[in-house]
Amino acid sequence: MPRPYVIIVSASSIDGRIASKTGYSRLSCPFDLKRLHEVRASVDAIMVGANTVIMDNPSLTPRYVKAPKNPIRVVIDGRLRIPLNANVVVNKEAPTVIVTTNKAPRDKVEELIRRGVEVWLMGEDRVDLRGVLERLYEERGVRRVLVEGGGHLNWELIKEGLADEIRLTVTPYVFGAGTSFLEGNGYPTTTEGPRLRLEGVRVCECGNEVVITWRVIHDQGIP
Ligand SMILES: NC(=O)c1ccc[n+]([C@@H]2O[C@H](COP(=O)([O-])OP(=O)(O)OC[C@H]3O[C@@H](n4cnc5c(N)ncnc54)[C@H](OP(=O)(O)O)[C@@H]3O)[C@@H](O)[C@H]2O)c1
């Protein structure tokens, strides 16, 4: 089954953290934020994990650039923990799909639908991420997805072979602890993880951040 092209975009500290131990995550400079919004404007859907909505309450709309349309917002929330007053629910500038599992409380599913968001039940215990991407492709015509974290969702997508491109902005900060760009069980050595090919490196316009792009080499070649 075809699925969309998936781009993971993150900003990290030099020690690979995308948030501090207290959840602080404002790492990008204004140039990097604008770059992120340019990517938002170029995709059909933006995907985030539940904790990112809970911690950051993003609107997930392209605001610093002109966009042809606002991409669909997709929240992966296995137990339906995001608050009903989250921006992705309240703000109606883009459609929102919340993807959850049979573990979600029924009354909250109904309340979210009443508030105008779509809720997809896609798994018993964990959300079937490949299934979500295939459904977005098939039913919504989604061809490009931007993933904006957090670390757990990034890890699951990479582990499942569902990420095609990684754009990481390394910012001049040190956290020493906190949420890593990838949060999972980990690989024992360098051979188990995905093979990556460096696509580009550029110094940010601010002069103090580096933007690195890798493509994931899939078994059947780079898509
Ligand atoms: N600097 C940056 O670029 C950047 C970008 C985004 C986020 N952040 C930061 O990252 C932090 C959040 O990252 P995080 O790793 O804690 O969380 P996350 O990846 O945003 O969300 C993880 C949660 O999403 C749900 N989830 C993910 N995949 C799932 C699946 N396959 N099936 C079911 N549920 C799934 C799970 O909820 P359940 O446990 O309920 O099942 C999981 O606990 C925040 O502090 C945020 O500020 C930073």
Side-chain angles (χ1 to χ4, degrees), residues 9-12 17-20 23-25 27 48-53 55-56 76-81 101 125-129 148-154 156 179-180 183:
V9 177
S10 273
S12 81
R17 314 283 182 172
I18 59 171
S20 74
Y24 183 87
S25 65
L27 290 157
V48 293
N51 290 350
T52 296
V53 171
M55 295 297 290
D56 299 352
I76 308 297
D77 186 357
R79 289 175 288 163
L80 219 47
R81 291 185 293 119
T101 65
D125 184 42
R126 304 293 297 158
V127 169
D128 165 18
L129 294 172
E148 289 194 33
H152 284 92
L153 179 62
N154 292 347
E156 291 217 13
T179 306
S180 293
E183 285 283 348

Side-chain angles (χ1 to χ4, degrees), residues 24-188:
Y24 183 87
S25 65
R26 289 169 184 255
L27 290 157
S28 293
C29 72
F31 297 103
D32 197 51
L33 267 185
K34 181 155 182 271
R35 201 163 23 244
L36 173 67
H37 282 235
E38 277 163 4
V39 186
R40 283 185 181 178
S42 77
V43 297
D44 307 303
I46 304 172
M47 183 182 282
V48 293
N51 290 350
T52 296
V53 171
I54 292 164
M55 295 297 290
D56 299 352
N57 195 18
S59 295
L60 300 180
T61 52
R63 292 187 301 283
Y64 307 137
V65 292
K66 249 180 111 70
K69 63 177 183 336
N70 284 344
I72 303 170
R73 300 174 289 203
V74 181
V75 181
I76 308 297
D77 186 357
R79 289 175 288 163
L80 219 47
R81 291 185 293 119
I82 66 160
L84 291 169
N85 63 356
N87 280 331
V88 289
V89 177
V90 175
N91 166 311
K92 300 295 178 201
E93 286 167 30
T96 296
V97 175
I98 300 172
V99 191
T100 189
T101 65
N102 290 340
K103 283 188 161 176
R106 286 285 137 174
D107 52 344
K108 194 160 179 188
V109 172
E110 275 154 31
E111 185 55 32
L112 282 163
I113 293 169
R114 214 177 57 74
R115 290 178 189 227
V117 304
E118 235 177 281
V119 181
W120 291 358
L121 293 178
M122 297 203 61
E124 281 303 318
D125 184 42
R126 304 293 297 158
V127 169
D128 165 18
L129 294 172
R130 181 178 294 277
V132 175
L133 290 169
E134 290 173 353
R135 187 166 171 185
L136 285 167
Y137 185 100
E138 189 70 23
E139 292 182 13
R140 298 305 177 86
V142 169
R143 296 294 181 267
R144 279 162 64 85
V145 175
L146 162 63
V147 177
E148 289 194 33
H152 284 92
L153 179 62
N154 292 347
W155 164 260
E156 291 217 13
L157 288 163
I158 289 198
K159 188 188 64 175
E160 300 291 326
L162 296 171
D164 302 303
E165 190 174 321
I166 296 167
R167 300 184 192 178
L168 185 66
T169 301
V170 182
T171 64
Y173 305 107
V174 171
F175 282 150
T179 306
S180 293
F181 169 60
L182 298 173
E183 285 283 348
N185 297 334
Y187 296 117

